[in-house]
Amino acid sequence: MVREIIKITTKETTLNVTQSAIDSVRMKNITKSGCRIYKDGYIGIAGTLGDLTDEIVLQAEKNLLRAIPYPYEPSSNLERIRDLRKSKETEEEFVKESEDFLTIVREEFPQFIFSNKIRSTEIQILIENTVGLKLCNMDRTFDFELLVKHIDSVNVFDAVFVLRDRVFNGNKLLNELRAILNNYHVEVELPKVEKIPVLVSLQDIGDKLLESLNGEMIGREASIFSDKIGSKVFHDDFTLYAYRGEDAMLTPFFDMEGVTIENDKVSLIEDGVILRGYTDKKTASDYNTIKTASSGGSYDEVPSLSGISVSIKPSKLSLDELLNGRAAILVMVMSGGDCTNEGNFASPVQLSFLYQDGKVIGKLPEFGLSGNIYEMFGKDFTGYSIDKAFFGDRVLVTNMKIN
Amino acid sequence: MFIFPQNLYTDVRIEEVKTTTIRYENFLLKENRTKVEIGAMIRMYDGMRWYYSSITDLGQIQKEIDRLKVIATPNEAVNESKVVKKFEVNKGVFLKYEDTNLSKIALEEKLSILNSYLPTLEEVDELQTTKLTYMDNHTIKHIISSKGTDVKFDTQNACIIARYVIVVNGLPHRGSENIYEMNFDDLKGKQDLIRDSIIKDLDYAKNSVPVVPGIYTCILSPVTAGVFAHESFGHKSEADFMVGDETMIREWAIGSKVGTPILNIIDTGLMEGAGYVPFDDEGTRAKENYIIKDGILSGRLHSSMTAAELEEEVTANARAMNFEFEPIVRMTNTYIGAGNHTVEELFHGVKLGIYIEDILHGSGMTTFTIAPSKAYMIRDGKISEPVKVSVISGNVMKTLYEIDGVSDTVRHCSFGSGGCGKMEQYPLRVGFGGPYVRVNGIKVQ
């Protein structure tokens, strides 16, 4: 019998912003503890809010009677602690810095109303068991999640600005606000071309790609990639990792089964070739493939294939080098799009700007974008900028069709 | 119960949530879990700023109140502030589900009912992957405030959710069916619902063809109409988006014409279903709120704070995802009211259009979007071949005027998983509903 504990501690201070000022402060200090018992190919789990108690351990043992199969070896004989925290800022200092940031925002952008959240989050996650596993990840981030609305607008909000960093980086966000909002009133026409480079995030256009890389779906021939493993279907420069490295903030280097991967990353797609889907222990075992540390679930759930954290391999070029002087569309708000079963993607673009030669030129009208998954990451894929050009992150550049 | 500090408003919301989740994946038992989560959200208001704290040790509530007291600034006039004046004071115990409490039903019975649905998923060979889940939730909330509220109430729901992937010609098609009830026994014997959905999805996967993109008249099914109402106008009626914003207050003045005269949109927590909340998370008693009546903007959704700021009445729409969050303005059960056409009459009037039967998701800003999971051409008034559609969209304010027919019967829909997302608080259970709705000028891609 192997006993394993999971302990997740979250300390969070969240400032609610209304009318460009803080109107509330929320503090959270919550521990969630789970216990897993592995015995004879079965798993018993119990959990509680707060610290683990003997009662929960006993409950986990009793829950073995629920006969949930788990014929996989618990992770073992590995100890690693990774502390990625960079800031020791106190709650009071965080509130003060946020107030100072918002004072500048009110002064510089009186035509706009800012709302929503600024947050400090510190998470420690620990998995430890009786066969020598002890993995602990500590991280702290400062998140700006600001909705911006022009004072004359009748929209609920017009733009969203997000920035996550391990230090309070109000200046970086202020620079982006200046670059974009100072051009908000400059209205420009949509370029009259069929396709144009768009600057997006993987989250904007990558749902179908990630869904189709699910190892269980590939193995059961329920993915559009099932017959494409080993085939080159994407651009030579497109490499996608299952990724748990330091760049992925608030993401532990291990998954919820305690699985780690070498150098914290493993290729799913390499140089355009689909190598494998992402897996948990079950999927890796069922389909005889490698583990990619992609098991998810909460502290008191049976871990399952849901914990995918991915990253595109950055290009060697910066955003402006990738564009090489071409005009591009910087997508700010693209909401509500989806893909057909074949991978045809379409979405309205609610807010975007024309971008060229390192500058935001002006605001574009609402329009629609479309593309096919094999083209957006294939012949139309331009690169993933090495520089974190917008919102504290690298930018995905691909050509898409304007509708 | 608690010693509330002088010259500050304080309330405490204690939640006890008991849940069960049993899940088969590809006919193997993957989860069989019961759990109890207990926590509390403490709020304090000094007339200028709110202070919140969420904790899991109920024995520490008084200590946490005392800690917040140190941070807040006492204000002798706080009880005269317009926000505090808006708080309803309700007292009493309203445990509607005491006799049918889902948490008291044996786990074996829950497993047994789920097992009774497994054979239905084995009937069709083309199902490449399956997930079958039983979920239930019984929640007791107790809200106590320094103004005198002391109200305890419960809500519950149980559901069976079937999800599957059908593969035809190498292309996966995702399908699902959801049986959502307030009481356990009502889950029994509804295998035909899942069977019918699988058969329909199989036909769709085999026969659907790419749609010719363009502008169409669309007929929205009740669930699609409900999501349309939620996304297109429901979010715009949440008053926290208007506080302090003169443009919004002017633009969304009560009494403004916002749509066709046959359009009514209602939100209410009174109705049993996913949006059932007899009291909101500030202890305000649920009401029926018309957002749009006969095409005229007739109300909006409020917390006590927004009602005070806009000098309107509370509507019981202050809701939190769980004890870790403060209540913000959210919808409950939102639906389009009935019209006076039969469903046949609605279809009869469409020479070439598209029927949106079911959806994957929707969104709504200036432009609303709906991603259909099943859509069909309408030809000469009749439902014709299934078509693959990525997304339908339209300008919200124009589209509300483009509705030219509403059927005479409303169907309400609740989903056991997922829900509404608003910023950090996702998912929150909400109900949707409506009649069949005919709307012109929809962009289909």
Side-chain angles (χ1 to χ4, degrees):
Chain A
M1 185 170 84
V2 174
R3 191 172 76 191
E4 188 167 85
I5 62 163
I6 298 101
K7 185 173 178 180
I8 303 169
T9 304
T10 305
K11 291 180 188 169
E12 189 182 280
T13 303
T14 304
L15 311 178
N16 192 58
V17 178
T18 301
Q19 294 289 303
S20 309
I22 296 166
D23 76 350
S24 70
V25 182
R26 184 183 71 211
M27 285 158 285
K28 202 185 274 188
N29 186 351
I30 289 178
T31 297
K32 298 178 179 180
S33 302
C35 178
R36 298 169 181 164
I37 305 293
Y38 302 96
K39 190 180 178 190
D40 301 332
Y42 293 96
I43 185 169
I45 302 184
T48 184
L49 296 175
D51 289 323
L52 197 67
T53 61
D54 291 343
E55 190 188 346
I56 293 299
V57 176
L58 281 174
Q59 186 63 50
E61 284 179 26
K62 271 173 64 180
N63 286 348
L64 282 167
L65 295 173
R66 295 184 182 184
I68 299 170
Y70 192 87
Y72 317 105
E73 286 296 314
S75 300
S76 61
N77 299 320
L78 180 64
E79 288 197 18
R80 182 179 168 192
I81 294 171
R82 185 174 77 174
D83 187 351
L84 298 173
R85 292 173 297 180
K86 278 189 179 169
S87 171
K88 292 182 177 173
E89 198 164 275
T90 64
E91 222 165 62
E92 292 74 21
E93 287 166 340
F94 166 61
V95 174
K96 175 74 170 56
E97 283 210 276
S98 299
E99 283 173 337
D100 292 346
F101 167 80
L102 288 169
T103 299
I104 299 170
V105 161
R106 287 193 298 273
E107 284 169 4
E108 287 198 28
F109 307 105
Q111 300 297 304
F112 295 92
I113 299 166
F114 290 72
S115 63
N116 205 30
K117 307 289 183 195
I118 304 174
R119 180 182 294 114
S120 159
T121 307
E122 184 173 341
I123 297 179
Q124 176 175 313
I125 176 165
L126 168 79
I127 291 190
E128 188 171 13
N129 67 24
T130 51
V131 286
L133 184 77
K134 185 176 182 181
L135 306 176
C136 181
N137 195 83
M138 290 167 274
D139 205 350
R140 184 183 185 190
T141 60
F142 295 87
D143 292 86
F144 295 86
E145 297 164 7
L146 294 174
L147 304 180
V148 180
K149 178 187 169 302
H150 190 270
I151 54 170
D152 293 333
S153 165
V154 296
N155 291 329
V156 167
F157 60 90
D158 297 309
V160 182
F161 286 83
V162 295
L163 189 139
R164 168 173 286 180
D165 207 338
R166 289 195 171 95
V167 292
F168 186 93
N169 209 339
N171 284 335
K172 184 169 178 61
L173 185 58
L174 279 169
N175 287 336
E176 289 188 2
L177 291 170
R178 287 169 189 138
I180 292 169
L181 294 183
N182 289 340
N183 289 289
Y184 190 86
H185 297 289
V186 182
E187 295 189 355
V188 294
E189 285 188 12
L190 206 54
K192 290 184 174 53
V193 291
E194 192 188 357
K195 278 187 173 179
I196 190 166
V198 294
L199 317 182
V200 288
S201 69
L202 183 60
Q203 287 79 8
D204 288 328
I205 61 170
D207 280 359
K208 187 73 179 178
L209 180 78
L210 297 185
E211 173 193 307
S212 304
L213 282 169
N214 179 305
E216 175 85 15
M217 291 295 167
I218 290 173
R220 298 186 76 87
E221 299 187 347
S223 160
I224 55 174
F225 296 158
S226 291
D227 60 352
K228 296 182 176 63
I229 299 299
S231 302
K232 188 184 195 79
V233 295
F234 297 118
H235 195 282
D236 284 347
D237 296 336
F238 185 63
T239 293
L240 185 76
Y241 304 116
Y243 182 77
R244 292 184 170 276
E246 293 189 6
D247 274 0
M249 288 182 246
L250 299 181
T251 302
F253 61 88
F254 51 89
D255 72 0
M256 287 302 279
E257 289 178 311
V259 173
T260 58
I261 42 182
E262 195 175 348
N263 298 321
D264 301 325
K265 67 182 178 186
V266 58
S267 295
L268 303 176
I269 298 168
E270 196 163 285
D271 302 333
V273 178
I274 303 177
L275 298 182
R276 58 185 68 87
Y278 52 87
T279 60
D280 59 357
K281 285 183 182 177
K282 176 183 183 300
T283 315
S285 167
D286 287 353
Y287 304 108
N288 195 26
T289 182
I290 65 169
K291 288 177 278 202
T292 66
S294 304
S295 175
S298 72
Y299 65 101
D300 60 350
E301 276 181 323
V302 178
S304 63
L305 181 56
S306 60
I308 182 65
S309 169
V310 295
S311 180
I312 300 172
K313 181 182 179 182
S315 307
K316 290 179 178 145
L317 304 176
S318 68
L319 174 61
D320 291 331
E321 288 167 339
L322 285 170
L323 291 172
N324 194 23
R326 287 176 298 165
I329 293 174
L330 171 62
V331 173
M332 293 283 295
V333 181
M334 180 161 75
S335 170
D338 212 318
C339 259
T340 62
N341 294 337
E342 289 91 342
N344 292 319
F345 174 85
S347 178
V349 176
Q350 287 85 357
L351 180 67
S352 64
F353 290 82
L354 194 64
Y355 177 88
Q356 192 163 23
D357 297 328
K359 287 180 187 160
V360 176
I361 308 295
K363 188 173 71 166
L364 292 161
E366 279 199 43
F367 64 101
L369 278 175
S370 64
N372 179 277
I373 188 172
Y374 296 111
E375 293 179 353
M376 292 187 293
F377 300 102
K379 68 181 176 64
D380 289 331
F381 178 75
T382 307
Y384 189 54
S385 70
I386 195 164
D387 55 328
K388 296 187 175 181
F390 284 102
F391 314 122
D393 209 349
R394 298 186 172 94
V395 177
L396 170 60
V397 186
T398 186
N399 293 303
M400 292 180 74
K401 191 174 169 187
I402 295 175
N403 300 312
Chain B
M1 191 170 187
F2 302 113
I3 301 165
F4 293 123
Q6 295 285 309
N7 300 325
L8 293 165
Y9 169 82
T10 310
D11 65 32
V12 178
R13 185 178 85 247
I14 301 167
E15 297 188 357
E16 180 186 84
V17 183
K18 294 181 177 173
T19 58
T20 304
T21 306
I22 311 171
R23 189 172 70 252
Y24 286 96
E25 286 184 14
N26 302 312
F27 306 101
L28 283 176
L29 184 64
K30 188 74 182 175
E31 187 77 78
N32 187 353
R33 178 171 58 132
T34 49
K35 78 175 184 182
V36 181
E37 287 195 331
I38 299 173
M41 161 63 70
I42 299 129
R43 303 194 306 170
M44 193 169 284
Y45 181 58
D46 61 12
M48 292 294 290
R49 194 174 266 189
W50 284 91
Y51 300 88
Y52 310 125
S53 180
S54 60
I55 58 169
T56 53
D57 182 352
L58 300 190
Q60 299 295 310
I61 291 175
Q62 186 62 54
K63 193 175 161 191
E64 203 60 20
I65 291 171
D66 295 340
R67 188 171 81 92
L68 290 183
K69 182 178 75 174
V70 175
I71 306 169
T73 307
N75 174 355
E76 285 183 10
V78 73
N79 289 326
E80 296 306 311
S81 75
K82 57 187 181 182
V83 175
V84 177
K85 278 184 166 178
K86 277 289 174 192
F87 285 119
E88 273 187 8
V89 175
N90 287 302
K91 292 174 188 283
V93 177
F94 304 89
L95 299 178
K96 181 174 181 169
Y97 300 103
E98 210 163 18
D99 297 335
T100 58
N101 189 334
L102 291 163
S103 69
K104 292 181 179 167
I105 292 170
L107 190 61
E108 291 73 22
E109 276 193 70
K110 297 174 182 178
L111 185 60
S112 169
I113 202 168
L114 187 64
N115 286 340
S116 75
Y117 281 86
L118 272 175
T120 312
L121 295 178
E122 292 179 305
E123 292 170 5
V124 174
D125 291 338
E126 287 91 343
L127 298 196
Q128 210 77 2
T129 71
T130 62
K131 281 187 188 177
L132 186 67
T133 307
Y134 169 90
M135 291 169 65
D136 69 30
N137 176 313
H138 180 262
T139 297
I140 297 176
K141 295 189 184 186
H142 187 183
I143 300 168
I144 312 108
S145 82
S146 58
K147 193 176 172 182
T149 281
D150 187 347
V151 64
K152 184 187 265 193
F153 58 94
D154 65 349
T155 58
Q156 70 173 23
N157 67 79
C159 56
I160 303 278
I161 304 166
R163 295 186 192 279
Y164 43 86
V165 176
I166 294 170
V167 178
V168 174
N169 299 327
L171 288 177
H173 169 81
R174 288 173 179 269
S176 66
E177 186 54 79
N178 166 88
I179 302 164
Y180 186 104
E181 302 291 350
M182 309 303 272
N183 293 308
F184 184 74
D185 286 343
D186 294 334
L187 289 178
K188 293 175 181 169
K190 294 184 172 166
Q191 284 78 359
D192 280 349
L193 279 175
I194 292 176
R195 185 175 291 117
D196 291 349
S197 282
I198 293 172
I199 290 167
K200 203 158 210 176
D201 276 309
L202 185 58
D203 176 71
Y204 186 84
K206 283 181 173 172
N207 299 311
S208 57
V209 295
V211 72
V212 177
I215 306 294
Y216 290 91
T217 293
C218 290
I219 292 185
L220 311 181
S221 67
V223 66
T224 311
V227 172
F228 169 74
H230 177 104
E231 299 293 354
S232 71
F233 208 82
H235 280 298
K236 288 184 173 57
S237 70
E238 293 168 341
D240 47 352
F241 290 123
M242 290 171 212
V243 170
D245 187 336
E246 288 176 14
T247 304
M248 291 293 265
I249 292 169
R250 199 168 49 243
E251 184 69 20
W252 302 109
I254 300 294
S256 306
K257 188 170 182 342
V258 290
T260 177
I262 58 173
L263 179 64
N264 293 283
I265 299 180
I266 302 110
D267 182 276
T268 180
L270 293 167
M271 186 186 302
E272 282 196 314
Y276 173 64
V277 278
F279 296 87
D280 74 3
D281 288 328
E282 293 183 328
T284 303
R285 194 182 290 270
K287 303 158 199 333
E288 183 183 65
N289 303 299
Y290 268 80
I291 302 169
I292 298 176
K293 191 168 178 61
D294 302 330
I296 306 292
L297 183 65
S298 53
R300 46 185 142 245
L301 308 180
H302 281 298
S303 63
S304 296
M305 189 274 280
T306 64
E309 291 294 333
L310 299 183
E311 298 181 345
E312 295 175 0
E313 296 307 312
V314 289
T315 58
N317 288 92
R319 302 182 64 195
M321 193 169 74
N322 57 43
F323 75 92
E324 294 186 39
F325 296 91
E326 72 278 17
I328 57 174
V329 182
R330 306 299 296 268
M331 285 172 264
T332 55
N333 292 298
T334 311
Y335 64 97
I336 294 180
N340 54 16
H341 287 84
T342 64
V343 176
E344 292 72 25
E345 285 169 347
L346 281 189
F347 277 89
H348 189 67
V350 181
K351 185 159 178 55
L352 180 69
I354 293 176
Y355 167 52
I356 310 295
E357 182 172 276
D358 207 351
I359 63 139
L360 294 168
H361 56 80
S363 74
M365 292 171 62
T366 313
T367 303
F368 77 90
T369 67
I370 289 173
S373 63
K374 286 197 281 287
Y376 299 82
M377 293 304 298
I378 304 170
R379 298 187 188 277
D380 294 324
K382 292 196 170 62
I383 295 176
S384 184
E385 75 273 17
V387 283
K388 296 173 184 174
V389 176
S390 298
V391 65
I392 67 169
S393 60
N395 178 284
V396 170
M397 300 322 298
K398 286 181 186 163
T399 303
L400 294 180
Y401 285 97
E402 293 288 343
I403 294 171
D404 73 352
V406 176
S407 75
D408 51 11
T409 306
V410 171
R411 185 157 65 86
H412 296 281
C413 313
S414 295
F415 298 106
S417 62
C420 172
K422 184 171 178 180
M423 310 316 157
E424 61 179 356
Q425 294 202 43
Y426 171 84
L428 183 76
R429 274 198 299 271
V430 292
F432 303 95
Y436 288 81
V437 173
R438 188 172 65 204
V439 53
N440 299 307
I442 297 289
K443 184 177 181 182
V444 177
Q445 289 175 275

